[in-house]
Amino acid sequence: MAKPPVKKTNWFAIWTSIGVVVAVAAIAIVVVFSNQAASKLPAENIPAAVDAETGAVTIGEGEDTVSVFVDFMCPNCKNFETNFGGDLRDLAKDDKISLAIHAVSILDNASQGTKYSTRAANAFYCVAEEKPELTMSYMDALFAKQPSEQTVGLSDDRLIELASNLGVDIKACQTEQTFADFVTKQTRNTMPRNPQDNGLYTPTVLINDEYIQLGTLTETYFTDLFAKAASGE
């Protein structure tokens, strides 16, 4: 089992200083939900491409699992995908890892009442339902058109159009918000809390259920880690 290195250069802080990305610590959004007993994901309305046990869209069949919880209105989620998404997808493609994507909605209160985070996550799962092989492409489209926080976000028609551009019809699914309850359930009951402060952050990254502090990541963190795991080091 791959184990993350103990000490790493804080590349997020370095990238901030040179204007490449915004440090997670600087603008990380913390949402602490009321204390509720965890329960299983709903038995109904789970997208066909989603693992009913974990609630994730998973690519790759590696022994080690990297789980990423994203909110499509979260700017740090976009930064994480820009800087690490390619490496993670390559590792998954080569079956060096299983990459599990969880679309969640902790920023609904940042879209002027339109619940953009839930609507975008619903659209993501609609694509997973219709054409799972295009799910990651749709995630790319959502991040490419990511609205700013404290705006109304993209309309449902626009979310439908982005899917249509990929050849996926999600009109009925998006109009009916088929997976909105699933998104809410997953956000409240499956998102892991940061052991440092018991808060909920996006993005959240786990490696084999071990919480990763994003400030410890280096530029080649994942490729280095799983290259060592493959070599038996």
Side-chain angles (χ1 to χ4, degrees):
M1 179 180 295
K3 294 295 184 181
V6 175
K7 294 182 178 180
K8 288 291 184 177
T9 302
N10 190 333
W11 279 91
F12 276 91
I14 295 173
W15 286 334
T16 300
S17 67
I18 61 174
V20 178
V21 297
V22 180
V24 172
I27 62 171
I29 304 300
V30 183
V31 175
V32 179
F33 289 97
S34 59
N35 186 19
Q36 301 180 21
S39 60
K40 293 182 179 180
L41 293 168
E44 298 179 354
N45 290 340
I46 296 179
V50 167
D51 185 303
E53 186 72 20
T54 66
V57 173
T58 302
I59 61 173
E61 298 180 355
E63 180 179 352
D64 296 297
T65 299
V66 178
S67 301
V68 183
F69 293 76
V70 300
D71 184 309
F72 291 115
M73 192 170 240
C74 160
N76 280 322
C77 295
K78 180 177 180 179
N79 291 337
F80 179 86
E81 182 62 25
T82 298
N83 288 285
F84 300 107
D87 287 344
L88 289 173
R89 293 188 201 188
D90 286 344
L91 288 165
K93 182 178 179 181
D94 294 337
D95 290 329
K96 293 180 179 179
I97 65 169
S98 295
L99 176 59
I101 304 296
H102 302 255
V104 296
S105 57
I106 71 171
L107 290 177
D108 271 346
N109 62 352
S111 56
Q112 299 186 25
T114 73
K115 294 186 176 181
Y116 177 72
S117 295
T118 292
R119 292 189 296 105
N122 180 83
F124 172 83
Y125 288 119
C126 288
V127 173
E129 171 79 2
E130 295 297 326
K131 288 192 177 181
E133 68 275 14
L134 294 176
T135 307
M136 301 304 287
S137 295
Y138 190 67
M139 186 167 89
D140 291 340
L142 289 174
F143 280 134
K145 301 297 182 182
Q146 184 181 67
S148 299
E149 294 178 65
Q150 307 306 328
T151 68
V152 296
L154 305 180
S155 67
D156 282 338
D157 286 344
R158 183 61 172 139
L159 292 170
I160 292 167
E161 181 183 13
L162 291 178
S164 180
N165 291 342
L166 297 173
V168 190
D169 182 2
I170 64 167
K171 184 174 182 178
C173 180
Q174 186 64 18
T175 300
E176 296 170 9
Q177 291 291 292
T178 301
F179 302 118
D181 288 344
F182 168 76
V183 172
T184 299
K185 190 84 168 182
Q186 175 164 239
T187 302
R188 289 181 176 173
N189 294 334
T190 70
M191 273 199 74
R193 293 181 180 276
N194 189 324
Q196 291 187 345
D197 59 12
N198 202 40
L200 296 179
Y201 297 77
T202 52
T204 286
V205 180
L206 307 180
I207 298 179
N208 297 326
D209 296 325
E210 181 173 351
Y211 198 103
I212 304 302
Q213 299 298 334
L214 299 187
T216 69
L217 297 182
T218 62
E219 189 173 11
T220 58
Y221 181 91
F222 295 104
T223 53
D224 291 346
L225 176 62
F226 293 107
K228 291 179 181 179
S231 67
E233 294 182 25

